[in-house]
Amino acid sequence: MDHSRHPWRAFQSRNFRLYFVGHSISVVGSFMAQTALIWLVYTMTDSAAWLGGVQFVNQFSTFVLLPVAGVLVDRWNRYYTLLVTQILFMLVSLITGILILTDNIHAWELLIAMFFIGCISAFDIPTRYSLIVQFVDRSQDISNVVGLNSAIYGLARMIAPTIAGVVIASAGTGICFLIDSLSSLAILAGLSLMQLPPQKHPFIKPQPLRQGLQEGIRYVMNSLPIRIVLLQVALISMLVTGTTTLLPLFAKDVLQGDAVTLGFLSAAAASGALLSTLYISTQTRLKRLSQLIGLGPILCGCALVMLGASQTLLISLIAMFIGGFGFLLQQSAGNALIQVVVEEEKRARVSSFYIMAFTGMGTVGSLLMGVLSSQIGASKTVFIGGVLCIAAAIWFFFELPALQRQIER
């Protein structure tokens, strides 16, 4: 048996096992809170523009801070940084849940909460991306770690929205935020039990923030594979992420459903995402990863076209499954390729640029889709997004030969 392609090979590391269990529980709580948030905002405001606005505030704050965060995380102890961010996440969810349960919450307060979550995420995500590769000893296992880490989110997207839909219907949205707060204890426990080696690269004399940021930008611009992957990730994130913002409209207005319907749609996308991340975790060849970065957007485009034309729950669920598979196929393959080729001392900065492409352009997409759907309707908006995804995939395949020549050197 070829153990180099075994999808569970990273579990040979005790540190990764602790991370996987703790982070899986924590992420389930986070996605429950996200599902509760979009349902709460829509029921409070009955506005697609408000849905887009809440997502925009959250993601824009992350986007603005990420360049600085990447430079700082490359200097800091990543383990302690991750502990601090998880504690802050826990406190914000706890306060938000209490405000909802005491009926003291307003839409503008949700905007503030999402702003703080976005600021914390700016430091949390590049820290995690650059730290988890230290949970295994062999460089050939990095793609496996990245794939399994993405699988955590795929699993959470499959489980959490369905649970959240039931909890919202029976106990209200505030309970979801309290569950999210308690779930943070799992990752904190996992981190506290780890035995990590010293950070692999020695700390150099701190540079001015501006100089560190410029160095990271030059590195990305001079690396053809990283540059092309980041651009493709940005395009597809802008077109696809906004679809999640519009899901309450599909559930309530197009499919005539409720919070449970929303949970089913999200779970269908998560099922496809989980399957794609498990597939990515078996891939070790950079050439194959580069091909999958182009295949994912084609699947996303077809799924969005199908969803935009759908009027039934079954067709919508199929479209969400295909879209979830394609979206995470591209994101996981792109992240895995970048983490393999990037230099260690620039890992957090490049990770921050990846997140900016993924989350930042998703911010723009959420806002644009929210506003556009209020003018032409959710179905037409999603259909147009699907056509543009296919166009972006065609562009990437024209650039693919040059990318592959670089990574094969």
Side-chain angles (χ1 to χ4, degrees):
M1 181 178 180
D2 184 5
H3 292 282
S4 67
R5 297 190 62 183
H6 196 287
W8 316 112
R9 60 189 184 275
F11 287 111
Q12 295 173 3
S13 167
R14 176 178 179 272
N15 287 332
F16 185 76
R17 292 196 302 270
L18 289 170
Y19 170 82
F20 188 90
V21 173
H23 196 51
S24 295
I25 296 171
S26 176
V27 173
V28 167
S30 296
F31 277 107
M32 287 182 64
Q34 288 183 25
T35 303
L37 171 71
I38 60 176
W39 186 257
L40 178 63
V41 170
Y42 190 59
T43 54
M44 288 175 63
T45 65
D46 197 31
S47 169
W50 259 98
L51 281 173
V54 168
Q55 296 291 339
F56 177 81
V57 167
N58 172 252
Q59 295 168 358
F60 185 73
S61 57
T62 301
F63 183 81
V64 170
L65 283 177
L66 269 171
V68 174
V71 176
L72 293 176
V73 171
D74 269 334
R75 300 176 184 176
W76 293 345
N77 184 296
R78 295 165 184 168
Y79 173 77
Y80 291 116
T81 303
L82 190 59
L83 281 174
V84 171
T85 60
Q86 297 307 305
I87 292 172
L88 293 175
F89 279 137
M90 180 175 64
L91 292 176
V92 173
S93 288
L94 178 62
I95 293 171
T96 304
I98 291 174
L99 287 175
I100 295 172
L101 290 174
T102 56
D103 200 25
N104 289 313
I105 197 72
H106 301 89
W108 65 268
E109 291 170 323
L110 292 174
L111 285 175
I112 293 175
M114 290 306 102
F115 171 78
F116 282 118
I117 290 290
C119 292
I120 300 167
S121 296
F123 291 88
D124 174 76
I125 306 174
T127 302
R128 265 190 295 108
Y129 278 33
S130 54
L131 182 63
I132 60 172
V133 299
Q134 297 182 20
F135 294 164
V136 292
D137 298 324
R138 303 185 308 170
S139 61
Q140 58 265 43
D141 288 343
I142 290 178
S143 61
N144 185 240
V145 168
V146 171
L148 291 174
N149 183 60
S150 298
I152 293 175
Y153 292 90
L155 182 64
R157 285 187 179 95
M158 182 173 63
I159 297 174
T162 303
I163 299 174
V166 175
V167 171
I168 292 169
S170 60
T173 54
I175 298 298
C176 289
F177 283 92
L178 293 186
I179 292 173
D180 178 33
S181 180
L182 291 174
S183 71
S184 297
L185 296 174
I187 184 60
L188 289 172
L191 290 171
S192 66
L193 293 172
M194 289 182 183
Q195 296 177 347
L196 289 176
Q199 200 148 331
K200 290 187 176 181
H201 66 279
F203 285 105
I204 59 175
K205 185 177 180 180
Q207 303 168 303
L209 282 174
R210 181 177 178 181
Q211 184 179 344
L213 178 58
Q214 289 174 339
E215 183 182 65
I217 294 174
R218 284 195 300 269
Y219 178 73
V220 168
M221 295 304 296
N222 291 331
S223 173
L224 179 67
I226 295 177
R227 186 174 73 244
I228 292 177
V229 170
L230 289 181
L231 181 56
Q232 176 72 342
V233 167
L235 289 171
I236 301 306
S237 294
M238 181 180 68
L239 296 170
V240 175
T241 303
T243 304
T244 304
T245 305
L246 299 178
L247 281 184
L249 279 72
F250 275 94
K252 187 175 180 180
D253 300 336
V254 178
L255 301 177
Q256 305 300 311
D258 54 16
V260 176
T261 307
L262 173 63
F264 283 143
L265 291 172
S266 300
S271 300
L274 177 61
L275 183 61
S276 72
T277 54
L278 291 176
Y279 175 68
I280 288 294
S281 70
T282 67
Q283 302 303 305
T284 58
R285 295 173 59 245
L286 293 182
K287 183 176 181 180
R288 180 57 177 163
L289 288 173
S290 67
Q291 293 169 342
L292 296 177
I293 296 170
L295 176 61
I298 293 178
L299 296 175
C300 286
C302 293
L304 290 180
V305 168
M306 184 186 303
L307 182 64
S310 172
Q311 296 292 322
T312 65
L313 179 60
L314 178 60
I315 299 299
S316 299
L317 291 174
I318 294 172
M320 292 299 295
F321 178 87
I322 297 172
F325 184 92
F327 188 56
L328 262 293
L329 188 70
Q330 185 223 26
Q331 303 301 330
S332 298
N335 188 24
L337 188 147
I338 287 174
Q339 295 300 333
V340 171
V341 303
V342 70
E343 296 177 3
E344 177 63 30
E345 63 270 18
K346 298 180 180 68
R347 190 178 297 278
R349 275 169 286 183
V350 173
S351 294
S352 71
F353 293 136
Y354 173 85
I355 302 156
M356 289 176 69
F358 178 54
T359 306
M361 294 308 294
T363 301
V364 176
S366 295
L367 186 62
L368 290 177
M369 285 228 174
V371 173
L372 185 60
S373 68
S374 66
Q375 301 297 317
I376 66 173
S379 296
K380 291 181 180 178
T381 301
V382 171
F383 187 93
I384 292 172
V387 173
L388 293 177
C389 275
I390 296 173
I394 294 172
W395 165 81
F396 180 83
F397 278 114
F398 276 110
E399 300 290 336
L400 186 58
L403 184 153
Q404 291 178 338
R405 284 194 297 268
Q406 291 287 320
I407 63 178
E408 289 172 354
R409 289 181 177 179

